[in-house]
Structure formats: structure tokens, C-alpha cells
Amino acid sequence: MIRDLLIQGVQMALVLLLAPLLTGLVRKVKARLQRRRGPPLIQPYRDLRRLLSKEVVLADNASWLFRVAPYMIFAVTWVAAALVPTFHTGLIFSWSGDLIAIIALLGSARFMQALAAMDIGTSFGGIGASREVMIASLAEPAMLMIVLSVAIIAGSTQLSTIAAFMASLMVGLRVSLALALVAFIIVALAENARIPVDNPATHLELTMVHEAMVLEYSGRHLAMIDLAASLKLLLYISAIVCIFVPFGLEHGYAIGLVAWLAKLAVAGVLLGVFEMSIAKMRVFRVPNFLGAALMLGLLGVLLLFVSQGM
Amino acid sequence: MNELGVILVPLAAAALLSAIPGYRISARLNVLASLISLLFAISLLFDRPDSNQYLMVDDLNIVFILLNTFVGFTTSAFSASYIAHELETGRLTARYLRFYHAMFQLMLFGMNLALIANNIGLMWVAVELATLTTVVMVGIYRTHEAIEAAWKYFILGSVGIALALFGTILVYLAARPVIGEGMDAMVWTNLRAGAHAFDPALLNIAFIFLLLGYGTKVGLAPMHAWLPDAHAEGPTPISAVLSGLLLNVALYALLRFKILLADNTAAIAPGPLMIGLGLLSLIFAAFMLYRRRDIKRMFAYSSIEHMGIIVFSFGMAGPFGNFAGLLQMTMHSLTKSAIFFAVGHVAQVKGTQRIAEMGGLTETHPVLGWTLVAGVVAIAGLPPFGVFTSEFLVVSSTFAREPLLALLVVFGLLVSFGALLLRVTSVAFGEPRGPTGPVQASYLPIFAHLALVLIAGIWLPGPLVTWFLHVAAMLG
Amino acid sequence: MQHGLSFDIAHMLAGGLVLVSFMMLYQDRLYALLHVLALHALVLALAVAWQAHIQHAPHLYITAALALGFKAMLIPWALRRIVFRLGIHREIETVVGIGVTMLAGIGLVALSLEVMLPVTAHADPVSREDIALALSVVLIGLLIMVTRRNAVSQVVGFLSLENGVNLAATGAQGMPLVVEISVAFSILIAFIVIGIFLFRIRERFDTVDLQALDRFRGERPE
């Protein structure tokens, strides 16, 4: 019992510690592709330490919501990230690691973020919040379609069960899974504010979504929010990896850990290469992009209902 | 071996014609090649070869082959005289004439191959080839309207052909469990033998695709949209060929598959579908005849109407229905191509195709005028021409079984009758309008066709009747 | 239902073809559409090659090679050159928005699956689902043709329709070579004709926009 709790605690800590490293890896890959040397891999840790030691500058009309939101966002995202199976399935709290619960947790984080962005009353906050919610209004149904198709195949919405099912290779290659994977990747790009939906490195107001919402934050608040964003990226990548490439999850902690780290590294590199290969799309095209993800999810569910083999 | 002559002669002629530059020689060669094909086809009546995996000749396609080669021959004769005028007015250049003659023979090759093919895949290829050659020829004048007509024809025809191929694949899928894999399951004689054992649901879906696909080529509403433009904007010999030949070839393909479906009792009856589409085409086209301003477009709608009657009649089936359909088809081919020949002369003389600008033809060109009147009287279904006989047979045989449908058919026929008569009186009688130069082409093809139709209206030879009845029985 | 891995790969490739058809529906730039057309033919070539492998039918490899060389490389390249030379307007105007078009595409896939799967209940499992997915590709190709105003994008829709029919032909096991030659042949001739038309159209018009062509429809009763 104590041992299981400890292992779950190790997962929670690992997730928290590795999230900035993943962000650093993606930035390094992008820099290398641009023929720059780029910041060192541990730069995000240094940024966090710097931010934590700085003074918080608050606007005059900021309410309690503005001060509380970063902590709430961080807490909720950390909980969600800790529930996704990383190096082993069947951990002690894995019964609560339900895909729908995770979506709900991330949704509440987004809700608080949007409210906090509008709290100060600047126009950038308003733009960011409205764009974020627009993206969410399409991404969440798409995500639910994906969850539905995966759940129909695996028989449960609990991530541990799904991962175990997928790892057992009873599933074979299925068209609806391929469609769900493509849709999931599109949704992940949109939710994590990656190119082509949003540029994480920009500070141009016309192209910002996430950055616009956090423009007013500083000091430890900003550190919490940045860490939450890194955790969200780690969460999505872990979720994709544990559903679609769940190899190594059933073999013991050491192998599982090594496999997970390798998959994270590969995913980080692929994300960096992908972001460098395409351009950011115009904001009014984003609904089409996410609509395509919704259609793919819908198509996957349709195929599952109509045929048994697909 | 003589069935090979029917397809190899046009092919060789096409190759030869693409090399010869002088248009007079190529026009004559065109006529000669068509005549030789006709002679081969007549020889098929007496000496029927055995069927093999690729080609076959049976009672059904002998009718079509003979009709096809005959109308092809007369059209080539008409074309030889018509084309000289086109060259003079500058609508066509000598280079395009070479192209035109080669495509003409290539099209005849495709059509003949489709008619004697025993393999449903080969039949599909041949219909596709014939369609593509006609598409190219429709656009040969290269005016804005011609290009638009050819483009529309190409797109609609290609979609139809793709759907027909899909239907063909489904027929193969239905046949495979019964006959086995490979070539045998595509051979029509094998398919006919095994049709009763095919999976009915699969056959149903296959027939729907085939009806939609080949039906587009037949010009059934609502897939008819390419037909009026293609007839109006192409050269007149091509309009005659489209109406008189290509629609028949597509109909033949439909009939082959209808036979398969009729043999399988569990599949849906193909009749009601064909009846529905036929009636829709008939009534739609009959109404559309009223507002046409272009004379060729009007007769194109008349073709849609008649193909509607023919498909309706084949849909009614039974010995009389099928017989009436066969007779109607033959009469329609002969009459419609004769009309298009006459219209071609008229258009050349008047320099326009618009009805409002033609008039008083019987005064200025009596032979042409009265021939046109005779042709229109024939196609409108008046006695003593053959079309009256076949339409009467359609109506009476339908009335005996489904009086309501017969009423609809009569209604459509009356509507179209009115329109045709209205228009032809304005063209043939009244004050002469438009230029009045002499007619430079030969009347022989028109006379030959109309004479045949007239004779058929008065007296159908006994052997012909028994032959048609035999084919009607085969159609089920 | 337990399916072998080879069946799964066949379905995956057929489903991939449907996916690429949806990508075609999504494009709004002409050059991008031509790239997706090349991808479509590539996936078709892979699907046909895989069918050749599992059916032990070596003649299908020829069809796959033809699809790869001709439809994946030559035709998109030639269409690119036509677009460039004619200076064709490079934004694709659609009749209705992209979202509605994609919804219609989903509807068509649902329709084709609903129709074809029960009907082929007695056929063998690989052919069944391939034919159903092939019909989806055909219907989506038709949808592309219907909802686009630009003649080049209509041609692309038609080519994807032909790819769908090609997939159906190879999915039907044992269909003889006659059909494969015929499909390839028809595409060859069709393309030549398309080329001729596009050049002839350019001589007469400034645009391949079909609304401009519509002015010359002879049907107007005036």
C-alpha cells in the first residue's frame, strides 16, 4: 500500500520535473533547425527560478480571481498530468484517470485562465480569451469523439484500461484508430498553442492566443502558468503515446520508464520538426482545421458503428 | 471470322485516314470503309461465327450491328458532301478534317466493338472509346459554345462511365462465387447461364449503378444535360451519329444487364425503374420542345423523348413491349438521322441554326423543305411512317396492362407532337426568311432512310417480324 | 471479429484513401490541391500493391506502378504546368463553405457504408470493406466535382473518382487484366482530352472559371 502510494508519488514528481525539460527540448530542436545554437536544455528551469524570485506586479483593478487563478490552473493541470499512465499502468490512483475526467480538469483550467485574462479589462486579454474559447468550442467535441471511438474499441474510458488493451495487441490495425490518432494530434496542437494554431514564441498581439491571455502576469504567477503549460504539453504527449504506442507499459517499472522517456524525446523532436515545417495559419482558418479534426473523429466513430472490423 | 471484319475495318481505316491529307480522298475513303463494314455486318446474317471469350454474335446484337453499320455508312456519305461546305465557309480547316475522319472511323470501331463484345469489361472499354471520340468531335469547331458543350459532355459522360464501371465490378463480384475467379466471370454468355444463382442484393445495387451510368449515355432525364448542347454545337454528321448510333449502343449495354437481372427472380424487377426513367424523360423532353430556339437543340430533345419511350417500352417487357421497343429504336435511328441530315442542309443554306431566322423552305427549296416536313411527320408519329406503328404498339400493349401509364405516354406524345408541328410549320411554310443559296449536298441518304421508314410503316416483312419476336423473347 | 494483420493493413490503406479524399475537400489553394492529388494516387498505389501481395496477383503490381508513375507524378506535374502556364486563378471558390462540404462528405461515407456493407454480406471480408470504402471515395470525388467552381479542381475531383473505381476494381479479387488496362487506358485518354480542352479553353477565355463558361450555355430560352 505504502509502496503503491510511493510509486504514484514518484509519477507525480517525475511529471512535474520533466515538463520543463520537454519544453526545452522542443525549443532546442527548433533552434537547431533554424541553424541557431539555441538555449540550453535546462533553460526553462532557469526561467522558472528567475520568475519565482521576482516580485509580482499587479494591475490596480485586479481582483482576487486574478491572484488565485494561476495556482488553481497549476494544481488542476498537475493533477490531470499525474493521472495519465506514463511508465506503468494500474497505479493506485489510476481508477480516477478517466479520459473524460481529464478533459473536464483541463476544461476547468481553461475556464479559469479565460476569466483571469478578462479580469484586468485590457483588450489583449479579451482577444486571447475569446480566441481560446473559440478553439475550445471545436476542440472539445473533437476530443470527445476521439474518446468515444477509443472507448468503443477498448471498452472503457479509463486510460489505464485502454493502455493495457492496446498493449495486448488484440486490437490489430484499425482505420478508426488511425483517424482518431490524426484527430488527436490536431486537437493536441490546438490545445497546446502550437503552430499551426498559435505561436508559442510570439509576442505579436494579432497572432497570440495563449500569450495574450497571460500578458498581464509576472513573477511567481507567471511561473505557475508557464509550468502548467509545460505540464499540459507533457500530458497530451503522454496520452497520445499511451493510447497509440503503448509498448513497454506492461513490463515493469524500469523498462516502462526508459520507454516513456524515449517516447517523450522522440515526440519532442517530431513536434519541433513539425513546427518548423509549416506556417501558422490565419485565425479564421482555425475553425476549419479543428472542424476537420471533428469530422475525422466523427468518421472514426461512424466506421466503428457500421462495421466490426474497422 | 467475319465479325472481326466489322471491327478491324474501321480501325484500319482510322489509322489510314489519320495519315492522308487530302480531304476529298479521305471523305471517299471514309464512305468506302463504312460500306465495307456494312457488307461484313450483312454477312453476319448468313454466317454466324461461334462465340468466344471476347466476341459473340447473337440475335440481339445482330439487329444493332446491322442498324449501326447502315446508319454509319449513310452518315459517312452525308458527311462527305457536307464537309466540303464547312471547309468553304472556314468553319473547319483541312488539318481538322483529317482528324475528323480518323475520329469518325475510330468511333465506329468503338461502337461496333461494344456491340459484339462478349466480355462486359471489353464492352465498357469500347463504350468509353466511342464516347471519347465523340467528345472530341463535338468540340471540333472550337467556338465558345462548342467548347462548353464538349466540356459538359466530357464531364457528365465520364462520371456516367465511371459509375458504369463500378456497376460492372459489382456484377463481377456477384458472379465470382458462382462462376469462379478470372476471365470467365466477365464473359456474358457465362453470366447469363449463371444469373439465377447470383446474390440478388448485389445485383440490385449493380443494376442501379449501371442504369445511372449507361443511362447517362442514353440521355435519360435527369442525366440528360449534356445531350442538347452536344447535338447543337457539334457538326451535323456528329449530331446524327449521336442520336442515331451512340444512344443505341448505350441502350444495348443496358439491355444486356437487364437480361441478367430478369433471369434472377430474387432481384428487383428492372422494369419499374426503366419505366419510371423512361416516362420522366418522355414528359420532360416533350415540354422542353416548346421553348427551343435552335433547331438542332429541339431535335436533340426529341431524341431524349424517343429514348424515353424506348426505355419505357423495354421496361414494360413482355413480347409486345420488347418488340415495340426494338421497332421504335430502329425507326428512331433511321428517322432522326434523316432529320439531322436535312437540318444540316438547312443550316448550311440559311447560315444559322435559329428557327426564327428560317422560313418558307418549301418555297425556296422545295425538295429540302418537303423532305424535312416528311421527316418531322415521321418522328412525330404520324402514319404511314414506321414510327407510328411502333408507338401505336407501345401504347396499345401498355394499355392492355397498365392503362394509366399508357395515358401518360399518350399525353407526352401529344405534347411533343404539338411542339414539333408548330416549329416545322414555321420553318417550312410561310414567308421565306434567310439566305436562299442552292443546296450543295446529296439527298440520297435522307431519301434512303425515309424510304425505309415509310416501307416499314406500311409493310413489315415477315422474316423481320419473326426475327424481332425472337429477340423480344430473349429479352424476357 | 478477428482479422489478420494483412486484412487490417488493406483496410488501413483503403481508409487512408478516404482520409486523403477528405483532405482534398479541405483544400482551398490550387497548388495544395494538386499535392493532395499526388498523395491520393500514392496511397492508391500502396493499396493496390498490398492487394497484389495478399491476393498473390502479380499483374496488379503493374497497376500499382502505373498509379504511382502516372497518376502520382505525371498528372499532378502536368496539371501544375497547365495552371502555371494559363495563369489560372489559384484560389478555389466553393459553392458552399468547407465545413458544410465536409459534413456532406461524412454523410456520403455513411451512406456508402450503409448501402454496400449489408449488400455484400456474403462476399469475402477483404473485398467487402474495400468496395464500401472505394464507393466512399467515388462519392466524395463526385462531391468535389459538384461543389467546385474552378475547372481544374473539377478535373481533380474526377481523377479522385477514377482512383476510387480503381480501388474497387483491385479489391474485387481475381478481376482480369482487361479491366485494369481499361481503367489505365481511359485515364490516359481522358487526360489527353483534358489537356486539349484546357488549352483550347485558354485560347478563348481568360479564366477557367466555370461561371465564365456559363455565359455561353446555349440553354437560355431568352
Side-chain angles (χ1 to χ4, degrees):
Chain A
M1 175 72 180
I2 301 286
R3 205 190 120 194
D4 292 331
L5 277 173
L6 270 178
I7 295 180
Q8 180 74 60
V10 163
Q11 170 160 315
M12 290 182 73
L14 258 184
V15 156
L16 188 60
L17 288 173
L18 284 178
L21 188 59
L22 182 63
T23 310
L25 174 66
V26 177
R27 281 191 205 155
K28 186 81 169 175
V29 168
K30 283 165 72 169
R32 283 283 166 182
L33 284 172
Q34 288 173 340
R35 303 189 58 175
R36 295 184 285 125
R37 287 180 60 190
L41 280 174
I42 56 169
Q43 185 62 29
Y45 295 105
R46 291 179 177 157
D47 287 337
L48 284 171
R49 195 179 68 190
R50 170 177 56 92
L51 283 173
L52 281 171
S53 62
K54 285 198 164 190
E55 180 195 345
V56 170
V57 175
L58 279 180
D60 282 334
N61 52 351
S63 69
W64 61 270
L65 181 67
F66 192 78
R67 292 192 306 270
V68 164
Y71 299 104
M72 298 290 301
I73 294 169
F74 171 69
V76 161
T77 315
W78 190 17
V79 166
L83 288 176
V84 175
T86 51
F87 55 86
H88 205 266
T89 57
L91 296 181
I92 191 166
F93 287 128
S94 63
W95 55 268
S96 58
D98 193 290
L99 263 175
I100 300 193
I102 291 177
I103 296 176
L105 283 171
L106 291 175
S108 43
R110 179 186 15 253
F111 173 64
M112 279 182 285
Q113 177 79 283
L115 281 183
M118 292 193 291
D119 188 64
I120 304 279
T122 62
S123 51
F124 294 135
I127 292 178
S130 73
R131 284 177 183 174
E132 172 75 13
V133 174
M134 170 194 74
I135 291 175
S137 69
L138 284 166
E140 287 209 355
M143 194 64 209
L144 283 173
M145 283 291 137
I146 296 165
V147 168
L148 186 60
S149 52
V150 169
I152 291 179
I153 296 179
S156 158
T157 51
Q158 216 197 77
L159 267 173
S160 266
T161 320
I162 295 177
F165 182 82
M166 298 289 178
S168 69
L169 283 186
M170 278 198 310
V171 66
L173 281 177
R174 305 178 77 147
V175 180
S176 47
L177 269 186
L179 292 174
L181 176 61
V182 175
F184 206 149
I185 291 178
I186 294 178
V187 168
L189 287 173
E191 291 272 348
N192 287 296
R194 295 275 140 196
I195 291 177
V197 175
D198 180 19
N199 192 342
T202 186
H203 292 283
L204 296 172
E205 50 275 7
L206 281 181
T207 58
M208 292 190 282
V209 178
H210 179 79
E211 293 296 318
M213 288 193 290
V214 304
L215 204 57
E216 296 288 327
Y217 277 110
S218 55
R220 58 180 185 277
H221 294 163
L222 188 55
M224 303 265 100
I225 292 185
D226 277 347
L227 194 51
S230 304
L231 275 170
K232 197 170 174 185
L233 183 63
L234 186 72
L235 182 161
Y236 267 96
I237 292 184
S238 299
I240 292 180
V241 147
C242 94
I243 295 179
F244 294 103
V245 264
F247 311 115
L249 270 176
E250 297 283 306
H251 293 286
Y253 299 123
I255 297 183
L257 191 59
V258 168
W260 179 56
L261 288 173
K263 290 177 208 169
L264 278 185
V266 168
V269 169
L270 283 176
L271 179 60
V273 170
F274 180 72
E275 285 204 282
M276 276 298 110
S277 323
I278 64 175
K280 184 173 131 43
M281 59 172 56
R282 303 174 65 177
V283 174
F284 69 83
R285 288 269 295 162
V286 171
N288 283 343
F289 187 55
L290 286 171
L294 178 58
M295 295 298 160
L296 287 176
L298 197 56
L299 192 58
V301 172
L302 181 71
L303 284 175
L304 279 174
F305 271 108
V306 174
S307 137
Q308 275 116 326
M310 296 198 273
Chain B
M1 286 321 277
N2 48 2
E3 82 273 21
L4 285 178
V6 175
I7 47 176
L8 288 178
V9 167
L11 190 60
L16 199 58
L17 283 168
S18 58
I20 295 179
Y23 82 90
R24 263 184 256 275
I25 302 182
S26 43
R28 295 208 179 107
L29 195 57
N30 199 14
V31 178
L32 185 63
S34 312
L35 180 60
I36 297 180
S37 312
L38 175 61
L39 292 175
F40 268 113
I42 295 179
S43 78
L44 281 175
L45 265 180
F46 305 109
D47 171 28
R48 199 173 289 186
D50 297 322
S51 316
N52 59 30
Q53 261 197 335
Y54 293 103
L55 304 173
M56 72 157 166
V57 178
D58 65 1
D59 288 328
L60 179 61
N61 58 12
I62 280 259
V63 180
F64 282 86
I65 273 273
L66 269 177
L67 188 61
N68 219 37
T69 43
F70 179 71
V71 177
F73 166 61
T74 47
T75 310
S76 61
F78 167 73
S79 153
S81 54
Y82 181 84
I83 286 297
H85 183 80
E86 295 296 287
L87 195 62
E88 277 172 35
T89 54
R91 277 178 104 186
L92 284 178
T93 64
R95 190 173 62 128
Y96 280 110
L97 274 182
R98 192 163 70 174
F99 184 64
Y100 166 84
H101 285 124
M103 282 290 132
F104 192 94
Q105 284 300 323
L106 199 59
M107 175 193 65
L108 284 182
F109 162 69
M111 288 199 279
N112 290 347
L113 182 58
L115 291 175
I116 60 173
N118 195 7
N119 182 314
I120 51 179
L122 190 59
M123 179 170 73
W124 179 85
V125 175
V127 173
E128 160 103 35
L129 176 63
T131 312
L132 280 170
T133 47
T134 44
V135 163
V136 170
M137 285 200 279
V138 162
I140 206 169
Y141 282 147
R142 304 179 76 182
T143 61
H144 304 199
E145 292 85 357
I147 289 182
E148 200 260 334
W151 180 256
K152 195 193 281 191
Y153 181 19
F154 173 66
I155 290 285
L156 286 173
S158 302
V159 171
I161 270 289
L163 291 177
L165 180 60
F166 199 79
T168 312
I169 295 173
L170 288 179
V171 169
Y172 169 79
L173 265 185
R176 193 181 58 187
V178 177
I179 303 181
E181 277 188 15
M183 193 65 85
D184 288 333
M186 303 261 297
V187 174
W188 195 83
T189 33
N190 296 351
L191 289 175
R192 178 104 198 270
H196 57 275
F198 291 170
D199 177 10
L202 202 51
L203 262 187
N204 291 344
I205 301 273
F207 186 71
I208 292 185
F209 274 104
L210 289 165
L211 187 58
L212 284 177
Y214 284 123
T216 312
K217 295 256 166 331
V218 173
L220 293 174
M223 294 93 65
H224 67 284
W226 58 272
L227 210 150
D229 287 330
H231 277 75
E233 305 301 336
T236 311
I238 299 306
S239 310
V241 158
L242 276 176
S243 258
L245 299 182
L246 198 57
L247 300 185
N248 286 350
V249 172
L251 179 68
Y252 166 81
L254 260 183
L255 286 177
R256 283 286 180 206
F257 287 108
K258 176 185 176 271
I259 295 178
L260 283 185
L261 218 70
D263 275 350
N264 188 321
T265 45
I268 51 167
L273 286 171
M274 293 172 74
I275 290 176
L277 279 180
L279 271 179
L280 181 63
S281 310
L282 166 62
I283 297 190
F284 170 75
F287 278 106
M288 292 298 266
L289 279 174
Y290 277 96
R291 298 195 63 189
R292 297 303 120 206
R293 306 292 157 130
D294 179 312
I295 194 169
K296 280 212 242 173
R297 202 176 290 277
M298 184 179 81
F299 284 117
Y301 275 103
S302 169
S303 291
I304 299 178
E305 178 216 337
H306 279 272
M307 288 321 270
I309 298 176
I310 297 171
V311 168
F312 170 84
S313 186
F314 279 123
M316 289 298 296
F320 287 117
N322 289 332
F323 182 87
L326 280 171
L327 191 61
Q328 173 84 0
M329 182 195 73
T330 319
M331 295 297 116
H332 171 254
S333 284
L334 292 171
T335 320
K336 192 47 71 65
S337 38
I339 288 183
F340 272 113
F341 295 159
V343 164
H345 291 325
V346 172
Q348 268 187 344
V349 161
K350 297 292 177 186
T352 172
Q353 287 175 200
R354 294 178 63 98
I355 296 180
E357 294 170 22
M358 316 173 181
L361 208 53
T362 45
E363 280 189 37
T364 55
H365 303 86
V367 181
L368 184 57
W370 286 107
T371 320
L372 183 62
V373 171
V376 174
V377 162
I379 203 75
L382 286 173
F385 287 101
V387 181
F388 170 74
T389 323
S390 54
E391 283 180 2
F392 181 76
L393 202 51
V394 170
V395 170
S396 56
S397 64
T398 315
F399 196 79
R401 289 149 59 177
E402 302 276 349
L404 187 57
L405 293 179
L407 279 176
L408 283 172
V409 173
V410 170
F411 172 67
L413 287 175
L414 284 176
V415 170
S416 67
F417 178 81
L420 284 171
L421 242 41
L422 252 180
R423 295 283 168 245
V424 87
T425 45
S426 96
V427 169
F429 305 112
E431 282 302 309
R433 284 191 295 274
T436 55
V439 176
Q440 290 171 314
S442 136
Y443 288 115
L444 223 47
I446 313 181
F447 288 162
H449 282 205
L450 285 178
L452 277 175
V453 175
L454 184 60
I455 293 174
I458 302 177
W459 167 72
L460 271 178
L464 186 68
V465 173
T466 26
W467 180 22
F468 272 19
L469 277 175
H470 189 58
V471 178
M474 186 178 157
L475 282 170
Chain C
M1 235 199 275
Q2 201 66 347
H3 285 297
L5 188 64
S6 54
F7 286 179
D8 281 341
I9 295 183
H11 295 157
M12 186 71 80
L13 288 169
L17 202 62
V18 177
L19 181 63
V20 179
S21 284
F22 270 102
M23 280 172 69
M24 257 195 227
L25 272 180
Y26 176 74
Q27 297 305 322
D28 68 344
R29 291 177 298 120
L30 206 48
Y31 280 150
L33 186 65
L34 294 177
H35 291 154
V36 178
L37 178 68
L39 181 63
H40 203 258
L42 177 65
V43 175
L44 176 72
L46 286 173
V48 172
W50 184 252
Q51 286 290 331
H53 173 68
I54 59 175
Q55 287 181 24
H56 309 290
H59 57 274
L60 287 179
Y61 284 120
I62 304 175
T63 311
L66 206 63
L68 185 64
F70 189 65
K71 295 190 237 181
M73 297 199 234
L74 188 63
I75 289 191
W77 173 82
L79 280 176
R80 248 187 106 95
R81 287 205 50 201
I82 287 178
V83 169
F84 178 67
R85 284 259 214 89
L86 301 190
I88 289 176
H89 193 43
R90 286 197 251 136
E91 277 261 329
I92 299 179
E93 295 106 16
T94 56
V95 173
V96 288
I98 286 186
V100 178
T101 323
M102 292 191 82
L103 264 178
I106 297 262
L108 287 175
V109 173
L111 176 71
S112 70
L113 287 175
E114 266 306 305
V115 165
M116 287 308 298
L117 283 178
V119 161
T120 52
H122 304 297
D124 84 280
V126 183
S127 298
R128 282 183 73 195
E129 308 203 341
D130 266 3
I131 298 268
L133 289 172
L135 181 59
S136 318
V137 175
V138 167
L139 288 179
I140 295 181
L142 261 178
L143 182 67
I144 294 177
M145 286 176 84
V146 164
T147 55
R148 297 283 181 272
R149 289 198 229 268
N150 184 306
V152 173
S153 38
Q154 287 200 347
V155 167
V156 167
F158 175 67
L159 290 173
S160 74
L161 194 153
E162 284 270 11
N163 285 352
V165 179
N166 216 335
L167 181 68
T170 53
Q173 256 185 338
M175 196 149 201
L177 190 58
V178 174
V179 181
E180 277 124 36
I181 291 179
S182 75
V183 176
F185 154 73
S186 76
I187 291 178
L188 179 67
I189 303 287
F191 177 65
I192 294 175
V193 176
I194 290 170
I196 293 176
F197 272 118
L198 283 178
F199 277 109
R200 283 183 178 180
I201 287 175
R202 179 66 178 113
E203 285 169 10
R204 300 291 177 192
F205 303 113
D206 290 325
T207 166
V208 194
D209 185 350
L210 286 161
Q211 284 201 316
L213 269 181
D214 249 8
R215 281 208 306 275
F216 300 105
R217 278 186 66 192
E219 282 285 324
R220 300 277 135 79
E222 277 135 56

